[in-house]
Amino acid sequence: MVSFECDYIAGAHPEIIKRLSETNLESLPGYGMDHYTASAQQKIRKVCGCPDAQVELLVGGTQTNAVVISTMLRDWEGVIAADSGHVSVHESGAIEYSGHKVLALPGKDGKIEAPALKRFLERFYSDVTHDHMVFPGMVYISYPTEPGTLYSKSELEAISEVCREYSLPLYLDGARLGYGLMSRSSDLTIRDIARLTNVFYIGGTKVGALCGEAVVFTKGNRPEHFMTSVKKRGALLAKGRLLGIQFDTLFTDDLYFRISRHAIDMAEKLKDIIREKGWEPYMDSPTNQQLILMTEKEMEALGKKVVFDRWGINDDGRTIVRLATSWSTGEEDLEVLREV
Amino acid sequence: MVSFECDYIAGAHPEIIKRLSETNLESLPGYGMDHYTASAQQKIRKVCGCPDAQVELLVGGTQTNAVVISTMLRDWEGVIAADSGHVSVHESGAIEYSGHKVLALPGKDGKIEAPALKRFLERFYSDVTHDHMVFPGMVYISYPTEPGTLYSKSELEAISEVCREYSLPLYLDGARLGYGLMSRSSDLTIRDIARLTNVFYIGGTKVGALCGEAVVFTKGNRPEHFMTSVKKRGALLAKGRLLGIQFDTLFTDDLYFRISRHAIDMAEKLKDIIREKGWEPYMDSPTNQQLILMTEKEMEALGKKVVFDRWGINDDGRTIVRLATSWSTGEEDLEVLREV
Amino acid sequence: MVSFECDYIAGAHPEIIKRLSETNLESLPGYGMDHYTASAQQKIRKVCGCPDAQVELLVGGTQTNAVVISTMLRDWEGVIAADSGHVSVHESGAIEYSGHKVLALPGKDGKIEAPALKRFLERFYSDVTHDHMVFPGMVYISYPTEPGTLYSKSELEAISEVCREYSLPLYLDGARLGYGLMSRSSDLTIRDIARLTNVFYIGGTKVGALCGEAVVFTKGNRPEHFMTSVKKRGALLAKGRLLGIQFDTLFTDDLYFRISRHAIDMAEKLKDIIREKGWEPYMDSPTNQQLILMTEKEMEALGKKVVFDRWGINDDGRTIVRLATSWSTGEEDLEVLREV
Amino acid sequence: MVSFECDYIAGAHPEIIKRLSETNLESLPGYGMDHYTASAQQKIRKVCGCPDAQVELLVGGTQTNAVVISTMLRDWEGVIAADSGHVSVHESGAIEYSGHKVLALPGKDGKIEAPALKRFLERFYSDVTHDHMVFPGMVYISYPTEPGTLYSKSELEAISEVCREYSLPLYLDGARLGYGLMSRSSDLTIRDIARLTNVFYIGGTKVGALCGEAVVFTKGNRPEHFMTSVKKRGALLAKGRLLGIQFDTLFTDDLYFRISRHAIDMAEKLKDIIREKGWEPYMDSPTNQQLILMTEKEMEALGKKVVFDRWGINDDGRTIVRLATSWSTGEEDLEVLREV
């Protein structure tokens, strides 16, 4: 059996395990005050081209979204997100748990469109009853999106421009950031993202780490007393070293980008196999996740050798199957798939 | 100037003011323990044909929705509502403030449709990732709906049936309940509503009271320690008599229904005037609120003699103007409108 | 039977009922946009000597505390209150419901002491772990306090000074403000209170109104988008006129203070009766609430003619009985008490 | 420099690092569905003598307290804890963030006393205003307590008995459980704890793991849809293997207890050194944390060779210094301390 179930089936990149092992008995202060965390923060600031950015390490994606959104929104505000966005659908209501509404905007292939965003905002402010509504206080996008699509540079610039016009912080969920940036279709760099957003996170969990997401407040705009707010949400890791060492490793010698590129190379080969097999794509994806439509019978056959994910249900009743590559996918895994 | 701005422009029905005045110096216990509240509760149980129902009096509509929904939902649940529902749009995120998501279902003329509800539930439970989502824990509908439409008995039965099948409590927001039930198009009685829902409220604020909504837990299903939960939400009125006396009056000699019927009679005459004037209806409404489309220029003319509400913006840019009648609308008000 | 159970046993001052009745059919806009509310706000600003203050009318005391505290605190902050404070004990956790801790400070006769407050703050900031704690973000006091004691001007000045030193807003809960200010022991005026606090509320429910509390943001420091935050908490009254007319009446011709003084006069007579009867005071109280210690047997006797409140339990097992006067207490009520 | 700052200065026990390394490339499902987690759960059930217990793995202590308490309390309830309890003081208000009050009970040396608990409960229920208060809904204790003291078996039995009498679940925070159980003063076993509590957690972060706490619902009383509630709180770890492998290792061949015993052995030697040095203990502690009183000057001297924790401030102004041993403390560390 090989697994293409998701991009978090393996542990950590071996280099990370090695570093965790080597540093294991070193005495370090807790709560992110250790020098590995400081080093990781410095490397991330550098790769983002943001000397004044603040970098904070958190444990997981939903946690990161909840912490960032709820500490940046003001009482009367909610967060705009695509209706298919992770915060809209797949976080068990974590944003609402913080007392804030997710203002769902109909997306297209997982993406918000700048004109639709602008229209939404214009309508909100021209509605005379808007004091009885939830004010838009932030825009959330994901890159890549949940179904694996990408914003082009011009699309992101357009969204960023609307946000600036309405003084809304733009937040980019980069749970799979590496796989997006290394996609052959991407025309964005991490510096572009840092420039065009107010805050974003660099996903570790799905890109080589055991756990961990690095939040970048790109304009020195980290909320006041952030550590206390993180603790209040049960999200402060005592042994911050676990996050610091991982991100320090990922941002040494471009490891994060190298392993992301590998996942994309594997995804391109996976697409070839999908074509060879005649499997029907649900949609075209330029990143590490490929979505295909399958009947129960086809899934039964596939399931004999391959672990995959039932990502959703298509309008015609077929299942949307997700096959994901990652930093840990090997050529031999693809060969098994080719042979099913 | 006459006002058709909304159905809460006047104080209370004169009979209520009279009763408040007569009972004013009576010594009564607080927090709804007074005999007027007990009497109101008993009369409401009787009119609903629910001897075992529990009746609780709260101050306002958004408060009532937040209290009822947040005390009935369990931690992992959200409330299903039409995307145009009051809880979805016009409560400044009061439901989310309680930590729960509003699961917006695309509505039709403000109504949820039973087949769409059923489809939503089927999809939810067949989605293998649903443990990462917000569970549907209640269905919210309004009667009349926000734009003034009505569920027919068969529509309500169908929704109630789906709710029963999925063990979901059905909650009906009756902010304008009287105007719905007295509509010439309604084939429902308050007993039908009590029978087909698990909880609903009888709106007082918009139907003759200074303030107040009467929540009916139709199946003896009031949440445990409800008074404490109400207090926790800042919603416990010290002088419960203010609510008790009002509802006792409204449910004496059918006052609630008589004044509601009057508002409907006035609305029918209003519709005649709209037709006479050639104003374009935004949609047909069988209740006390009439929505028409107007340009800025038309509104300017109307605004010289009439106070009206800008209810929303139409796709073509025109304003959706709301003209509402109520228990307090007089023939003379309609005459002013006819003459503009 | 006569009732000394609490200061909210009667309806409203007759002048209020008269005004509600007279204005009843006037068409007025909702949500506090009516001219009676504007007039009340103006009169309150004037009586407070604060031309720039913002005045907001809410329905009840717990609601007011929750709204004010939760909109003024920042995410990482809690509110300091006496351990006997209303927000600490008798609001069913309404402050915690908003996600904020009440930092209870041991009080003396219901009062916070400035030196103890200062010591608490010094300790907090000198504690190296304070980032893992709840930051003090506001100080809450009540005037009169829950057991009926009063801060002297110098005590209030000292607390205000500590608050200023630590940049903490000082919030005064004036549920019974009139009875405090009119006490023969009070050396404070409403202008002193406006000057020495950042926000306070003038209690209506217990001082002549059917419901209603007037919040005064004394330094133009009302939180942004306050109406939306109020709505979000289910606390926005549709017919704001009900509050506006009441406060406009209470602040016309000094009605608020006149009826408060009456309650104090009655309380002084009540104290005479207590002395005559040889009942044991639980503590000395200069305001409208008198606390006495009684055995079950004594309460049984008293209860035959008088409704009273079981306020708490003394260390020796006896009940702390509360007898309260109010604007509505008459000489004849006292006579009944004298005769028991 | 050697560090006695806390018990989480080192990474993980080498055996854990070894297992993480060996299993690193294995394909495993996420969210705790992997076989290592299942194995850890089984081993923990066995060691607790609770075949029907449910075991859930979470990341950190504050997170665990917030998740357990907020999913077990009902809307109208709060949690009773010692005033020095971790949830009372050092979690930045994480419990209040969930909308629930911590009902602080004056503790003695960090412990709740059964008679005081019972008195508190009796008073609560005999207070006629208790519907306006927060109901006690759970009792929280820590073992060892924050200052390092221990409940004896008879003390725990007495508390457990009071809880049973009032139908209150008893929750034990075992952040340092191993160090408590292996203390030479302890007369409790993990089976006793499982028997006498309704839920407790076995701390991993401070006892050999990189992160992780194992919650044991001892009576099959895990809240419904727990995974969704965990996700809602941002606490669901995608790579559950990280927790599963660690706890599976800790509960293989008694590793958890062996390394805990080592820490206690080191603490006993540390106590000898404290005595030798003539340092003044703040209080006697039978576990791995020793608290001593020091002036700034003494701390300056100590700080040249030893990293320590400023735990608090004594009434006389001296600092309460904490020196902690752990599984990672070596004899050579103690020698450095002896030589300062």
Side-chain angles (χ1 to χ4, degrees), chain D residues 92-319:
Chain D
S92 297
I95 305 307
E96 290 81 5
Y97 186 64
S98 79
H100 294 282
K101 191 179 185 70
V102 178
L103 298 158
L105 206 60
K108 194 167 162 4
D109 294 343
K111 295 194 279 180
I112 282 179
E113 295 175 303
L117 174 62
K118 181 158 183 159
R119 217 153 41 233
F120 176 88
L121 293 165
E122 282 169 355
R123 284 206 158 213
F124 177 83
Y125 284 104
S126 67
D127 187 330
V128 293
T129 68
H130 71 255
D131 281 339
H132 295 248
M133 296 164 73
V134 175
F135 280 68
M138 184 183 233
V139 173
Y140 164 97
I141 56 175
S142 24
Y143 184 86
T145 63
E146 292 69 20
T149 56
L150 294 174
Y151 290 92
S152 70
K153 191 191 283 197
S154 66
E155 287 171 337
L156 186 60
E157 282 170 344
I159 289 173
S160 184
E161 174 60 29
V162 176
C163 288
R164 241 191 332 275
E165 193 184 330
Y166 283 88
S167 300
L168 291 177
L170 176 59
Y171 170 43
L172 183 145
D173 176 335
R176 299 182 166 98
L177 187 66
Y179 303 143
L181 291 173
M182 291 301 105
S183 162
R184 291 167 191 185
S185 306
S186 174
D187 60 354
L188 283 166
T189 64
I190 197 168
R191 295 195 170 210
D192 292 327
I193 283 172
R195 178 173 55 83
L196 294 168
T197 67
N198 299 82
V199 54
F200 71 101
Y201 82 83
I202 303 169
T205 301
K206 287 163 180 160
V207 192
L210 278 166
C211 61
E213 324 295 325
V215 185
V216 184
F217 294 97
T218 62
K219 325 286 186 214
N221 55 327
R222 182 182 56 198
E224 269 186 271
H225 290 291
F226 191 71
M227 184 203 255
T228 303
S229 291
V230 169
K231 177 95 179 180
K232 180 175 179 174
R233 284 152 180 81
L236 187 62
L237 193 64
K239 294 189 180 170
R241 67 195 296 155
L242 172 58
L243 302 172
I245 291 165
Q246 292 189 92
F247 275 98
D248 191 52
T249 305
L250 287 170
F251 284 88
T252 299
D253 298 336
D254 269 349
L255 182 64
Y256 187 77
F257 298 108
R258 283 189 283 122
I259 65 180
S260 296
R261 194 174 308 118
H262 168 79
I264 292 298
D265 291 344
M266 294 296 105
E268 291 298 324
K269 291 184 180 177
L270 171 59
K271 279 158 96 163
D272 292 342
I273 293 170
I274 289 169
R275 267 188 297 270
E276 279 171 35
K277 294 280 182 190
W279 291 335
E280 185 182 342
Y282 169 68
M283 63 189 297
D284 187 51
S285 164
T287 62
N288 72 313
Q289 304 185 86
Q290 301 301 321
L291 303 174
I292 55 181
L293 295 170
M294 282 196 160
T295 61
E296 279 299 323
K297 204 171 152 192
E298 289 171 308
M299 286 188 287
E300 203 184 313
L302 182 65
K304 283 176 183 152
K305 291 211 178 153
V306 173
V307 185
F308 56 87
D309 180 54
R310 288 162 179 257
W311 195 76
I313 296 158
N314 196 38
D315 286 333
D316 66 2
R318 281 185 292 172
T319 295

Side-chain angles (χ1 to χ4, degrees), chain C residues 129-162:
Chain C
T129 68
H130 71 255
D131 281 340
H132 296 249
M133 296 165 73
V134 175
F135 280 68
M138 183 181 234
V139 173
Y140 165 96
I141 56 175
S142 24
Y143 184 87
T145 63
E146 292 68 19
T149 56
L150 294 174
Y151 290 92
S152 69
K153 192 191 283 197
S154 66
E155 287 171 336
L156 186 60
E157 282 171 343
I159 289 172
S160 185
E161 174 61 30
V162 175

Side-chain angles (χ1 to χ4, degrees), chain C residues 82-93 102, chain D residues 101 127 129 132-134:
Chain C
D83 51 5
S84 57
H86 206 254
V87 296
S88 301
V89 183
H90 277 110
E91 303 196 342
S92 297
V102 177
Chain D
K101 191 179 185 70
D127 187 330
T129 68
H132 295 248
M133 296 164 73
V134 175

Side-chain angles (χ1 to χ4, degrees), chain A residues 89-108:
Chain A
V89 184
H90 277 109
E91 303 194 342
S92 298
I95 305 305
E96 290 80 5
Y97 186 64
S98 78
H100 294 282
K101 191 179 185 71
V102 178
L103 298 159
L105 206 61
K108 192 163 164 6

Side-chain angles (χ1 to χ4, degrees), chain C residues 168-187:
Chain C
L168 291 176
L170 176 59
Y171 170 43
L172 183 145
D173 176 335
R176 298 181 167 97
L177 186 66
Y179 303 142
L181 291 173
M182 291 301 106
S183 163
R184 293 169 188 183
S185 306
S186 176
D187 61 354

